[in-house]
Amino acid sequence: FVSCEDKTENNSIDKQNVEAIETEEYVIPEIQLADFDGKAGDYVDKEVKVTGIVDHLCKHGGKKLFLVNDDADVHVEADERFDDSLIGSEVVINGVVREFRVDEGYCLKMETDNIKKHKEGEANKDEFDQKKEMIQKYRDEMKEKGVDHLSYYSLDFVSVENVPESI
């Protein structure tokens, strides 16, 4: 005689857990574009929504988009080319916040690379001087702010939707 366990109770528990998971909704936080630089640090490596107008796409491949409003801007990068028809449109971009840090180590590497390129003839005197000035601006800004690094934020593209026009 072979008997099977009665799994009715376990099945109902599993069903409840599945229903709870299915009804839980994760809401993607929305950051106002004007607040993006100030709040992005709280969302590094997390998905957020940002609304703005597509000012332009990068001409070299179209995989970078510049989202703006009257108060601020943010760069959005994608693996695939953006559709040119987005230019001038107000859109909601979902993207993962990425942080690029400039610190003394980064400045030293830039400095070394700049000197090397100049010595090897890959950079002329003007390019060399411009890069040198940029490195000094980074250092001056860190000193002025009393910080050991500067953070620059961008979004890795997830999705886009047009903002419906108001009636």
Side-chain angles (χ1 to χ4, degrees), residues 144-161:
E144 178 184 311
K145 292 181 177 181
V147 295
D148 66 350
H149 71 276
L150 302 171
S151 294
Y152 297 95
Y153 300 101
S154 64
L155 290 174
D156 280 351
F157 177 76
V158 173
S159 66
V160 62
E161 66 181 72

